[in-house]
Amino acid sequence: MPTCENYNHKRGWKQTIKKTTTLDPALTCPYCGEKQYQTQKSKTKCALLTPVILLPLLLNLFFEPGIHVLISLAVFFLLAMSLFPFLVEISNKEEYINFFDR
Ligand SMILES: [Zn+2]
């Protein structure tokens, strides 16, 4: 679970989902109001979660389409959603991928 760097405030599952699904890159701590940012490493991990959700759709190509595809899609989606907050790491500083400074 993401933890606020200032006072070690722990965020709840629901708060994490709510904050990370918005377009705003800043994740304001609900306890102290400090702005926090998701780390680049954590963003990569979350991006890797998307193909997991879409895995049942891939299975659809090999097996007969049917209700089981929809069920597995829902199961994978819930699984990914419950794992999601554990992959979110936050930092006080906003990170940028710097292509020029090498
Ligand atoms: Zn805080």
Side-chain angles (χ1 to χ4, degrees), residues 1 66 75 96 102:
M1 288 291 174
V75 169
Y96 296 100
R102 281 194 189 222

Coordinates of all heavy atoms in Angstrom, one line a residue, residues 1 66 75 96 102:
M1 N 0.8 -1.2 0.0 CA 0.0 0.0 0.0 C 0.9 1.3 0.0 O 1.9 1.3 0.7 CB -0.9 0.0 1.3 CG -2.0 -1.0 1.3 SD -3.3 -0.6 0.1 CE -4.2 -2.1 0.3
G66 N -17.6 -17.7 -25.4 CA -18.7 -18.0 -24.5 C -18.7 -17.2 -23.2 O -17.9 -16.4 -23.0
V75 N -13.1 -12.0 -13.4 CA -12.2 -12.5 -12.3 C -10.8 -11.9 -12.4 O -10.3 -11.4 -11.4 CB -12.1 -14.1 -12.4 CG1 -11.0 -14.6 -11.5 CG2 -13.4 -14.7 -12.0
Y96 N 10.3 12.4 -13.7 CA 10.1 12.5 -15.1 C 11.1 11.6 -15.8 O 12.2 11.4 -15.3 CB 10.4 14.0 -15.6 CG 9.5 15.0 -15.1 CD1 9.8 15.8 -14.0 CD2 8.2 15.1 -15.7 CE1 9.0 16.7 -13.5 CE2 7.4 16.1 -15.2 CZ 7.7 16.9 -14.1 OH 6.9 17.8 -13.6
R102 N 21.8 12.3 -20.3 CA 22.4 11.1 -20.2 C 23.9 11.2 -20.2 O 24.4 12.0 -20.9 CB 22.0 10.2 -21.3 CG 20.6 9.6 -21.0 CD 20.2 8.5 -21.8 NE 18.7 8.3 -21.4 CZ 18.2 7.2 -21.2 NH1 18.8 6.1 -21.3 NH2 16.9 7.1 -20.8

